[in-house]
Structures are given as structure tokens and as C-alpha cells.
Amino acid sequence: MPRAFTPKVVTANRLLEGDAVWLTADDRWTTDMSEAELIEDEAVSQDRLLFAMGQADVVVGAYLADAKAGEDGPEPTHFREAFRTRGPSNYAHGKQAEA
């Protein structure tokens, strides 16, 4: 019996800055996960991942991450993805310093 598909977002790291970014429904990369496209179909998720992997001059390491619908947009379901929304964790800088 096939497992139910878990909603996904496409995420990667911006090639030049290294920021964690998420793919939006209008093919932009955003540093705000709540703007990401929440994909609820497995075939569409594979297509969107292929699109992301084709942008090697913009992002690196694209992959599908589990997500859930939140009040303001997609939210992470795994602590790793929650950490990525806040930036580097080795010391306060970037997004963490701004929070």
C-alpha cells in the first residue's frame, strides 16, 4: 500500500550568499518560507524539484522538504527546516541577529 504524500516545499541555498531559500509558486526564490509554494501533489513536487535543479547558476543543493499549511503560509515540520528559517546557528548574525 503506497504511503500518503506529505506536502512539500522546494528549498535550496542561494549560490552566492549561501542563504536558505524556498521556491515560490511564481518561480522566485525567497528567504521567507511562508512565501514558498506548498506542493500537495507528488508529480508536481518532482517537476518543481527538476525546475529548481535546473537553476544551478542561482541555487545549490535543491531538495524537497516536508511542510504543513500554517496561518501565514507553509511551515516546517522538522526541526532541521525550522533552523534553516532562522539562519546560521553557530553565532548570532544574519536573520538571528534581526529577530
Side-chain angles (χ1 to χ4, degrees):
M1 175 179 218
R3 290 182 9 191
F5 179 74
T6 303
K8 311 274 189 226
V9 291
V10 177
T11 185
N13 287 87
R14 197 168 269 151
L15 183 62
L16 297 180
E17 296 89 8
D19 289 341
V21 289
W22 291 266
L23 186 62
T24 66
D26 59 355
D27 299 339
R28 291 180 299 111
W29 290 99
T30 180
T31 56
D32 183 355
M33 184 180 182
S34 67
E35 295 179 15
E37 175 184 20
L38 184 64
I39 306 165
E40 300 191 14
D41 181 272
E42 186 170 5
V44 172
S45 72
Q46 294 300 317
D47 285 345
R48 299 298 284 158
L49 180 59
L50 288 173
F51 172 80
M53 294 173 78
Q55 298 194 338
D57 58 334
V58 179
V59 294
V60 63
Y63 63 94
L64 296 169
D66 291 347
K68 64 181 180 183
E71 289 183 25
D72 298 321
E75 297 177 352
T77 60
H78 191 276
F79 69 90
R80 177 180 188 267
E81 298 305 321
F83 288 155
R84 292 184 76 239
T85 65
R86 295 190 295 262
S89 59
N90 55 350
Y91 55 90
H93 65 87
K95 296 178 202 172
Q96 290 180 346
E98 297 167 5

XYZ file of all heavy atoms in Angstrom:
763
model
N 0.853 -1.180 0.000
C 0.000 0.000 0.000
C 0.896 1.239 0.000
O 1.759 1.385 0.867
C -0.900 -0.030 1.230
C -1.744 1.188 1.395
S -2.785 1.044 2.851
C -4.236 1.793 2.233
N 0.726 2.136 -0.971
C 1.561 3.339 -1.017
C 1.268 4.270 0.154
O 0.139 4.343 0.642
C 1.192 3.983 -2.350
C -0.108 3.401 -2.734
C -0.223 2.063 -2.056
N 2.309 4.947 0.601
C 2.140 5.908 1.695
C 1.513 7.175 1.148
O 1.732 7.552 0.005
C 3.490 6.238 2.313
C 4.063 5.091 3.069
C 5.367 5.354 3.756
N 5.808 6.736 3.782
C 7.011 7.089 4.152
N 7.877 6.180 4.505
N 7.375 8.352 4.154
N 0.755 7.839 2.008
C 0.146 9.115 1.627
C 1.251 10.145 1.415
O 2.263 10.140 2.131
C -0.809 9.584 2.712
N 1.077 11.004 0.429
C 2.059 12.041 0.142
C 1.989 13.130 1.195
O 0.920 13.621 1.533
C 1.793 12.631 -1.248
C 2.747 13.717 -1.633
C 4.042 13.413 -1.997
C 2.358 15.046 -1.618
C 4.942 14.405 -2.345
C 3.228 16.047 -1.970
C 4.529 15.729 -2.338
N 3.129 13.507 1.709
C 3.230 14.601 2.670
C 3.517 15.881 1.900
O 4.417 15.894 1.060
C 4.381 14.332 3.659
O 4.155 13.086 4.296
C 4.474 15.434 4.698
N 2.780 16.966 2.132
C 3.052 18.222 1.417
C 4.521 18.623 1.533
O 5.176 18.371 2.549
C 2.133 19.231 2.104
C 1.027 18.415 2.656
C 1.669 17.112 3.072
N 5.013 19.266 0.472
C 6.432 19.622 0.378
C 6.610 21.079 -0.050
O 5.721 21.682 -0.657
C 7.141 18.765 -0.677
C 6.917 17.286 -0.594
C 7.866 16.638 0.329
C 7.754 15.117 0.223
N 7.717 14.487 1.494
N 7.794 21.577 0.217
C 8.283 22.824 -0.369
C 9.616 22.487 -1.010
O 10.291 21.538 -0.620
C 8.451 23.946 0.679
C 7.117 24.414 1.214
C 9.378 23.515 1.801
N 9.994 23.268 -2.021
C 11.318 23.116 -2.624
C 12.227 24.127 -1.953
O 11.902 25.313 -1.867
C 11.281 23.363 -4.145
C 12.692 23.259 -4.725
C 10.346 22.375 -4.832
N 13.355 23.647 -1.460
C 14.304 24.530 -0.782
C 15.710 24.267 -1.301
O 15.985 23.218 -1.882
C 14.221 24.358 0.749
O 15.081 25.306 1.380
C 14.608 22.951 1.166
N 16.569 25.238 -1.100
C 17.964 25.154 -1.551
C 18.747 26.231 -0.820
O 18.232 26.876 0.100
C 18.037 25.376 -3.067
N 19.986 26.408 -1.224
C 20.795 27.518 -0.718
C 21.178 28.400 -1.884
O 21.555 27.905 -2.952
C 22.048 27.005 -0.010
C 21.705 26.395 1.326
O 21.383 25.212 1.381
N 21.714 27.193 2.359
N 21.069 29.704 -1.667
C 21.451 30.654 -2.711
C 22.945 30.495 -2.983
O 23.752 30.432 -2.061
C 21.109 32.072 -2.266
C 21.078 33.051 -3.405
C 20.470 34.361 -2.989
N 19.029 34.304 -3.244
C 18.125 34.973 -2.552
N 18.477 35.724 -1.555
N 16.857 34.876 -2.877
N 23.291 30.418 -4.241
C 24.658 30.093 -4.645
C 25.685 31.086 -4.116
O 26.715 30.687 -3.576
C 24.732 30.015 -6.172
C 26.076 29.610 -6.754
C 26.469 28.208 -6.305
C 26.034 29.678 -8.275
N 25.440 32.370 -4.230
C 26.451 33.353 -3.857
C 26.475 33.674 -2.366
O 27.533 33.750 -1.755
C 26.258 34.645 -4.658
C 26.440 34.496 -6.168
C 26.218 35.830 -6.866
C 27.809 33.937 -6.505
N 25.296 33.842 -1.732
C 25.249 34.233 -0.329
C 25.164 33.049 0.624
O 25.492 33.173 1.805
C 24.059 35.159 -0.056
C 24.120 36.479 -0.784
C 23.463 36.398 -2.159
O 22.840 35.369 -2.474
O 23.587 37.363 -2.940
N 24.666 31.910 0.158
C 24.508 30.732 0.999
C 23.234 30.721 1.801
O 22.992 29.795 2.577
N 22.397 31.753 1.657
C 21.145 31.805 2.402
C 20.238 30.634 2.039
O 20.181 30.212 0.880
C 20.373 33.094 2.084
C 21.013 34.328 2.671
O 21.821 34.192 3.603
O 20.688 35.432 2.181
N 19.491 30.146 3.024
C 18.442 29.171 2.751
C 17.322 29.892 2.009
O 16.923 30.995 2.407
C 17.919 28.573 4.045
N 16.846 29.290 0.939
C 15.786 29.902 0.135
C 14.748 28.847 -0.219
O 15.036 27.657 -0.220
C 16.343 30.555 -1.156
C 17.137 31.806 -0.826
C 17.173 29.589 -1.967
N 13.533 29.336 -0.520
C 12.417 28.473 -0.882
C 11.833 28.963 -2.194
O 11.789 30.174 -2.455
C 11.349 28.508 0.219
C 11.840 27.832 1.459
C 11.629 26.522 1.811
C 12.632 28.400 2.513
N 12.265 26.263 3.000
C 12.887 27.388 3.450
C 13.178 29.661 2.734
C 13.631 27.599 4.592
C 13.929 29.873 3.882
C 14.138 28.849 4.798
N 11.358 28.012 -2.987
C 10.789 28.325 -4.296
C 9.331 28.728 -4.146
O 8.548 28.039 -3.493
C 10.908 27.099 -5.213
C 10.488 27.285 -6.665
C 11.363 28.333 -7.372
C 10.573 25.946 -7.404
N 8.969 29.853 -4.776
C 7.585 30.334 -4.726
C 6.801 29.802 -5.922
O 7.383 29.269 -6.875
C 7.539 31.875 -4.745
O 8.022 32.332 -6.014
C 8.367 32.475 -3.621
N 5.492 29.974 -5.884
C 4.637 29.498 -6.974
C 4.908 30.246 -8.274
O 4.642 29.719 -9.359
C 3.168 29.643 -6.578
N 5.454 31.472 -8.188
C 5.752 32.234 -9.406
C 7.239 32.158 -9.778
O 7.773 33.084 -10.388
C 5.271 33.680 -9.288
C 5.908 34.422 -8.122
O 6.646 33.796 -7.345
O 5.660 35.625 -7.998
N 7.885 31.071 -9.375
C 9.258 30.737 -9.776
C 10.325 31.692 -9.254
O 11.385 31.823 -9.841
C 9.376 30.634 -11.308
C 8.490 29.564 -11.889
O 8.099 28.646 -11.131
O 8.190 29.634 -13.093
N 10.064 32.353 -8.148
C 11.080 33.185 -7.494
C 11.686 32.389 -6.342
O 11.101 31.436 -5.842
C 10.463 34.446 -6.878
C 9.953 35.465 -7.837
C 9.367 36.676 -7.090
N 8.232 36.325 -6.236
C 8.244 36.355 -4.906
N 9.314 36.740 -4.241
N 7.181 36.001 -4.196
N 12.849 32.815 -5.880
C 13.448 32.263 -4.669
C 13.292 33.293 -3.572
O 13.599 34.467 -3.776
C 14.919 31.929 -4.894
C 15.095 30.767 -5.808
C 15.385 30.814 -7.138
C 14.953 29.385 -5.482
N 15.436 29.539 -7.651
C 15.179 28.642 -6.659
C 14.656 28.686 -4.314
C 15.126 27.247 -6.697
C 14.603 27.296 -4.351
C 14.837 26.597 -5.525
N 12.809 32.873 -2.402
C 12.590 33.780 -1.290
C 13.295 33.266 -0.047
O 13.461 32.049 0.129
C 11.089 33.941 -0.999
O 10.913 34.833 0.107
C 10.420 32.618 -0.682
N 13.719 34.180 0.819
C 14.317 33.783 2.094
C 13.255 33.615 3.172
O 13.572 33.254 4.300
C 15.352 34.828 2.557
O 14.710 36.108 2.632
C 16.540 34.887 1.611
N 11.983 33.861 2.827
C 10.869 33.741 3.766
C 10.060 32.492 3.411
O 9.330 32.474 2.420
C 9.996 34.994 3.673
C 8.854 34.993 4.659
O 8.665 33.973 5.370
O 8.142 36.003 4.719
N 10.174 31.461 4.239
C 9.497 30.204 3.931
C 7.985 30.357 3.800
O 7.347 29.621 3.066
C 9.810 29.151 5.003
C 9.204 27.794 4.696
S 9.571 26.582 5.950
C 8.783 25.155 5.222
N 7.403 31.338 4.481
C 5.945 31.499 4.411
C 5.480 31.916 3.020
O 4.298 31.811 2.705
C 5.463 32.511 5.447
O 5.932 33.804 5.136
N 6.395 32.378 2.161
C 6.055 32.728 0.781
C 6.224 31.550 -0.171
O 5.904 31.655 -1.355
C 6.939 33.880 0.291
C 6.732 35.181 1.013
C 7.665 36.269 0.497
O 8.251 36.101 -0.590
O 7.799 37.278 1.181
N 6.718 30.438 0.320
C 7.003 29.284 -0.543
C 5.716 28.641 -1.060
O 4.639 28.782 -0.465
C 7.813 28.248 0.224
N 5.873 27.938 -2.160
C 4.757 27.176 -2.727
C 4.628 25.868 -1.948
O 5.579 25.090 -1.878
C 5.045 26.874 -4.199
C 4.011 25.998 -4.859
C 4.384 25.635 -6.293
O 5.580 25.728 -6.668
O 3.465 25.270 -7.035
N 3.461 25.618 -1.367
C 3.197 24.356 -0.687
C 2.643 23.385 -1.719
O 1.570 23.597 -2.267
C 2.212 24.543 0.462
C 1.946 23.292 1.297
C 3.237 22.840 2.008
C 0.852 23.553 2.310
N 3.382 22.326 -1.983
C 3.036 21.379 -3.043
C 2.364 20.165 -2.422
O 2.932 19.520 -1.541
C 4.303 20.968 -3.812
C 5.034 22.207 -4.316
C 3.944 20.024 -4.947
C 6.457 21.948 -4.767
N 1.165 19.862 -2.899
C 0.401 18.763 -2.311
C 0.211 17.601 -3.268
O -0.595 16.715 -3.009
C -0.940 19.298 -1.812
C -0.724 20.384 -0.759
C -1.990 20.782 -0.031
O -2.985 20.050 -0.136
O -1.968 21.816 0.627
N 0.954 17.589 -4.372
C 0.877 16.515 -5.354
C 2.298 16.016 -5.632
O 3.190 16.827 -5.925
C 0.232 17.034 -6.642
C 0.102 15.955 -7.692
O 1.069 15.772 -8.461
O -0.956 15.297 -7.722
N 2.495 14.710 -5.558
C 3.843 14.154 -5.708
C 4.436 14.432 -7.083
O 5.614 14.785 -7.200
C 3.827 12.658 -5.422
C 5.218 12.058 -5.408
C 5.239 10.636 -4.892
O 4.166 10.077 -4.634
O 6.342 10.101 -4.743
N 3.646 14.291 -8.150
C 4.166 14.520 -9.503
C 4.573 15.981 -9.678
O 5.623 16.277 -10.261
C 3.128 14.129 -10.545
N 3.767 16.879 -9.160
C 4.094 18.310 -9.239
C 5.369 18.588 -8.442
O 6.229 19.361 -8.880
C 2.920 19.175 -8.730
C 3.322 20.643 -8.636
C 1.701 18.997 -9.625
N 5.513 17.940 -7.307
C 6.718 18.172 -6.494
C 7.975 17.756 -7.264
O 8.995 18.446 -7.184
C 6.624 17.446 -5.150
O 6.757 16.049 -5.315
N 7.908 16.664 -7.983
C 9.060 16.223 -8.767
C 9.356 17.216 -9.903
O 10.525 17.513 -10.181
C 8.832 14.814 -9.320
C 8.756 13.755 -8.237
C 10.018 13.671 -7.402
O 11.125 13.722 -7.928
N 9.854 13.558 -6.089
N 8.314 17.707 -10.552
C 8.508 18.719 -11.605
C 9.151 19.983 -11.046
O 10.060 20.558 -11.651
C 7.173 19.084 -12.261
C 6.665 18.017 -13.209
O 7.453 17.120 -13.583
O 5.476 18.084 -13.569
N 8.669 20.424 -9.883
C 9.201 21.647 -9.280
C 10.660 21.458 -8.830
O 11.476 22.365 -8.930
C 8.330 22.099 -8.107
C 6.906 22.425 -8.509
C 6.825 23.569 -9.483
N 7.030 24.837 -8.781
C 7.424 25.957 -9.363
N 7.645 25.991 -10.665
N 7.586 27.049 -8.667
N 10.968 20.248 -8.357
C 12.352 19.966 -7.970
C 13.263 19.989 -9.197
O 14.364 20.542 -9.135
C 12.440 18.620 -7.251
C 13.845 18.209 -6.800
C 14.438 19.245 -5.851
C 13.799 16.836 -6.148
N 12.817 19.416 -10.291
C 13.615 19.446 -11.519
C 13.829 20.884 -11.990
O 14.927 21.245 -12.438
C 12.954 18.613 -12.619
C 13.027 17.106 -12.419
C 12.192 16.393 -13.474
C 14.463 16.628 -12.453
N 12.790 21.712 -11.891
C 12.917 23.130 -12.236
C 14.010 23.778 -11.373
O 14.875 24.503 -11.877
C 11.579 23.846 -12.041
C 11.666 25.329 -12.193
C 11.688 25.913 -13.453
C 11.731 26.158 -11.079
C 11.784 27.298 -13.598
C 11.822 27.534 -11.205
C 11.851 28.101 -12.469
N 13.963 23.502 -10.066
C 14.947 24.091 -9.148
C 16.358 23.604 -9.465
O 17.310 24.387 -9.461
C 14.578 23.752 -7.703
N 16.498 22.333 -9.738
C 17.816 21.771 -10.027
C 18.383 22.317 -11.337
O 19.600 22.309 -11.536
C 17.741 20.250 -10.048
C 17.411 19.676 -8.673
S 17.109 17.905 -8.690
C 18.763 17.301 -8.774
N 17.521 22.824 -12.187
C 17.958 23.429 -13.440
C 18.464 24.844 -13.275
O 18.907 25.462 -14.237
N 18.409 25.379 -12.068
C 18.877 26.747 -11.810
C 20.203 26.731 -11.056
O 20.382 27.427 -10.059
C 17.817 27.514 -11.035
C 16.532 27.648 -11.813
C 15.609 28.681 -11.218
O 15.695 29.019 -10.049
N 14.734 29.206 -12.035
N 21.141 25.960 -11.560
C 22.429 25.798 -10.888
C 23.239 27.083 -10.827
O 24.183 27.170 -10.043
C 23.229 24.704 -11.588
N 22.871 28.086 -11.613
C 23.569 29.370 -11.548
C 22.988 30.288 -10.475
O 23.501 31.378 -10.240
C 23.543 30.061 -12.904
C 22.130 30.299 -13.411
O 21.215 29.535 -13.011
O 21.933 31.232 -14.192
N 21.898 29.842 -9.817
C 21.229 30.645 -8.793
C 21.272 29.964 -7.425
O 21.534 30.604 -6.402
C 19.757 30.920 -9.183
C 19.046 31.745 -8.118
C 19.683 31.595 -10.543
N 20.984 28.653 -7.400
C 20.899 27.920 -6.132
C 21.695 26.623 -6.220
O 22.001 26.138 -7.305
C 19.434 27.593 -5.763
C 18.645 28.856 -5.477
C 18.768 26.745 -6.822
N 21.978 26.073 -5.047
C 22.696 24.807 -4.975
C 22.005 23.923 -3.936
O 21.434 24.413 -2.967
C 24.185 25.049 -4.606
C 24.321 25.680 -3.242
C 24.983 23.784 -4.705
N 22.030 22.620 -4.175
C 21.508 21.654 -3.205
C 20.008 21.650 -3.059
O 19.501 21.460 -1.951
N 19.282 21.820 -4.149
C 17.819 21.845 -4.069
C 17.279 20.478 -3.632
O 17.785 19.443 -4.049
C 17.224 22.238 -5.411
N 16.276 20.513 -2.770
C 15.614 19.280 -2.345
C 14.195 19.598 -1.897
O 13.835 20.757 -1.709
C 16.395 18.562 -1.244
C 16.531 19.320 0.050
C 15.629 19.116 1.095
C 17.563 20.223 0.246
C 15.756 19.781 2.294
C 17.699 20.910 1.443
C 16.795 20.678 2.467
O 16.922 21.357 3.658
N 13.402 18.533 -1.730
C 12.036 18.661 -1.239
C 12.043 18.485 0.270
O 12.643 17.536 0.777
C 11.127 17.603 -1.872
C 10.946 17.709 -3.385
C 10.262 16.452 -3.924
C 10.123 18.944 -3.732
N 11.376 19.381 0.971
C 11.287 19.298 2.428
C 9.819 19.192 2.824
O 8.964 19.867 2.254
C 11.911 20.540 3.059
N 9.545 18.347 3.798
C 8.183 18.235 4.313
C 7.755 19.568 4.913
O 8.557 20.265 5.543
C 8.095 17.154 5.379
C 8.273 15.757 4.816
O 8.226 15.597 3.581
O 8.432 14.820 5.618
N 6.494 19.897 4.725
C 5.948 21.145 5.263
C 4.467 20.960 5.532
O 3.867 19.971 5.114
C 6.174 22.291 4.284
N 3.907 21.898 6.249
C 2.464 21.881 6.510
C 1.926 23.289 6.301
O 2.678 24.278 6.377
C 2.178 21.402 7.930
C 2.723 22.336 8.989
C 2.447 21.825 10.381
C 3.027 22.805 11.418
N 2.858 22.348 12.767
N 0.636 23.361 6.043
C -0.002 24.665 5.874
C -0.122 25.337 7.232
O -0.554 24.717 8.210
C -1.377 24.495 5.242
N 0.288 26.594 7.295
C 0.160 27.373 8.516
C -0.740 28.564 8.263
O -1.253 28.750 7.151
N -0.933 29.384 9.261
C -1.797 30.556 9.108
C -1.253 31.539 8.078
O -2.009 32.182 7.365
C -1.953 31.270 10.445
C -2.795 30.521 11.441
C -2.975 31.310 12.726
O -2.879 32.553 12.691
O -3.201 30.670 13.758
N 0.082 31.665 8.016
C 0.703 32.642 7.113
C 1.415 32.013 5.936
O 2.180 32.689 5.252
C 1.688 33.507 7.898
C 0.995 34.304 8.984
O -0.116 34.781 8.725
O 1.566 34.436 10.073
N 1.215 30.713 5.709
C 1.897 30.024 4.617
C 2.528 28.745 5.127
O 2.303 28.351 6.272
N 3.331 28.113 4.284
C 3.945 26.847 4.701
C 4.820 27.007 5.942
O 5.475 28.027 6.124
C 4.802 26.461 3.493
C 4.214 27.192 2.352
C 3.673 28.462 2.916
N 4.814 25.957 6.769
C 5.638 25.919 7.973
C 6.424 24.617 7.981
O 5.933 23.591 7.492
C 4.769 25.987 9.227
C 3.995 27.268 9.356
C 3.081 27.279 10.578
O 2.941 26.227 11.253
O 2.507 28.340 10.853
N 7.622 24.612 8.559
C 8.409 23.379 8.611
C 7.782 22.357 9.552
O 7.116 22.721 10.524
C 9.763 23.861 9.137
C 9.512 25.157 9.795
C 8.300 25.748 9.151
N 8.022 21.080 9.259
C 7.551 20.013 10.145
C 8.722 19.339 10.846
O 8.513 18.526 11.727
C 6.756 18.946 9.371
O 7.601 18.376 8.371
C 5.512 19.535 8.732
N 9.940 19.672 10.442
C 11.128 19.055 11.028
C 12.013 20.160 11.597
O 12.106 21.247 11.019
C 11.889 18.274 9.935
C 12.961 17.392 10.470
N 14.219 17.851 10.745
C 12.960 16.076 10.784
C 14.958 16.851 11.205
N 14.216 15.755 11.243
N 12.667 19.867 12.728
C 13.476 20.907 13.380
C 14.598 21.416 12.479
O 14.987 22.580 12.556
C 14.024 20.433 14.720
C 15.063 19.356 14.635
C 16.402 19.683 14.539
C 14.709 18.025 14.661
C 17.373 18.704 14.466
C 15.663 17.031 14.582
C 16.990 17.359 14.476
N 15.129 20.554 11.607
C 16.202 20.998 10.710
C 15.717 22.153 9.829
O 16.412 23.156 9.645
C 16.675 19.852 9.837
C 17.740 20.265 8.841
C 18.182 19.074 7.983
N 19.319 19.417 7.177
C 19.250 19.877 5.928
N 18.073 20.038 5.372
N 20.330 20.165 5.253
N 14.510 21.995 9.306
C 13.964 23.044 8.446
C 13.618 24.289 9.265
O 13.751 25.407 8.771
C 12.751 22.528 7.674
C 13.078 21.378 6.730
C 14.185 21.710 5.743
O 14.228 22.844 5.229
O 15.047 20.846 5.515
N 13.189 24.102 10.491
C 12.917 25.265 11.356
C 14.207 26.045 11.600
O 14.212 27.274 11.563
C 12.303 24.802 12.671
N 15.322 25.338 11.819
C 16.615 26.012 11.991
C 16.988 26.788 10.735
O 17.514 27.898 10.813
C 17.730 25.010 12.294
C 17.658 24.417 13.672
C 18.230 23.190 13.922
C 17.041 25.059 14.717
C 18.186 22.620 15.183
C 16.974 24.505 15.982
C 17.551 23.281 16.210
N 16.744 26.195 9.573
C 17.114 26.850 8.315
C 16.353 28.165 8.120
O 16.847 29.084 7.472
C 16.873 25.921 7.134
C 17.825 24.727 7.133
C 17.652 23.857 5.919
N 18.263 24.516 4.766
C 17.616 24.839 3.661
N 16.329 24.576 3.548
N 18.231 25.424 2.663
N 15.123 28.260 8.663
C 14.354 29.502 8.517
C 14.964 30.630 9.335
O 14.683 31.797 9.089
C 12.883 29.339 8.953
O 12.840 29.060 10.347
C 12.187 28.257 8.147
N 15.815 30.281 10.324
C 16.397 31.301 11.215
C 17.832 31.647 10.879
O 18.440 32.474 11.535
C 16.292 30.839 12.664
C 14.859 30.718 13.138
C 14.786 30.506 14.622
N 15.371 29.239 15.046
C 14.678 28.141 15.288
N 13.384 28.140 15.151
N 15.278 27.038 15.680
N 18.438 30.973 9.915
C 19.803 31.289 9.523
C 20.828 30.480 10.285
O 20.483 29.569 11.030
N 22.103 30.825 10.140
C 23.177 30.064 10.790
C 22.995 30.017 12.299
O 22.535 30.981 12.912
C 24.438 30.844 10.427
C 24.061 31.625 9.217
C 22.595 31.913 9.335
N 23.385 28.891 12.918
C 23.176 28.727 14.352
C 24.482 28.760 15.146
O 24.471 28.566 16.345
C 22.463 27.404 14.626
O 23.239 26.334 14.129
N 25.626 29.023 14.492
C 26.880 28.995 15.229
C 27.103 30.254 16.058
O 27.767 30.243 17.051
C 28.064 28.736 14.296
C 28.132 29.721 13.153
O 27.220 30.490 12.925
N 29.229 29.707 12.439
N 26.555 31.365 15.677
C 26.566 32.579 16.468
C 25.538 33.542 15.886
O 25.065 33.348 14.776
C 27.957 33.212 16.532
C 28.585 33.502 15.201
C 28.393 34.727 14.580
C 29.371 32.544 14.554
C 28.961 34.991 13.347
C 29.943 32.803 13.322
C 29.739 34.029 12.725
O 30.289 34.288 11.504
N 25.179 34.546 16.660
C 24.104 35.444 16.241
C 24.563 36.378 15.126
O 25.410 37.233 15.329
C 23.622 36.260 17.435
N 24.053 36.153 13.962
C 24.236 37.064 12.837
C 23.146 36.753 11.826
O 22.408 35.794 11.973
C 25.633 36.959 12.214
C 25.929 35.646 11.575
N 25.610 35.363 10.278
C 26.478 34.521 12.068
C 25.990 34.134 9.992
N 26.513 33.596 11.069
N 23.035 37.550 10.833
C 22.023 37.328 9.820
C 20.625 37.426 10.392
O 20.316 38.319 11.175
N 19.777 36.502 10.024
C 18.384 36.533 10.439
C 18.232 36.444 11.949
O 17.316 37.016 12.525
C 17.633 35.375 9.798
C 17.561 35.449 8.311
C 16.837 34.238 7.778
C 17.196 33.986 6.354
N 16.652 32.727 5.874
N 19.127 35.699 12.631
C 19.017 35.562 14.083
C 19.283 36.879 14.779
O 18.647 37.189 15.781
C 19.989 34.508 14.590
C 19.594 33.128 14.173
C 20.572 32.098 14.682
O 21.665 32.428 15.120
N 20.172 30.842 14.629
N 20.216 37.666 14.289
C 20.523 38.945 14.912
C 19.373 39.926 14.731
O 19.163 40.798 15.572
C 21.806 39.525 14.315
N 18.606 39.768 13.662
C 17.496 40.666 13.378
C 16.255 40.300 14.165
O 15.364 41.101 14.325
C 17.181 40.629 11.882
C 18.335 41.122 11.040
C 18.159 40.797 9.566
O 17.095 40.277 9.182
O 19.106 41.048 8.804
N 16.153 39.069 14.664
C 14.945 38.604 15.387
C 14.899 39.142 16.795
O 15.811 39.573 17.389
C 14.906 37.094 15.398
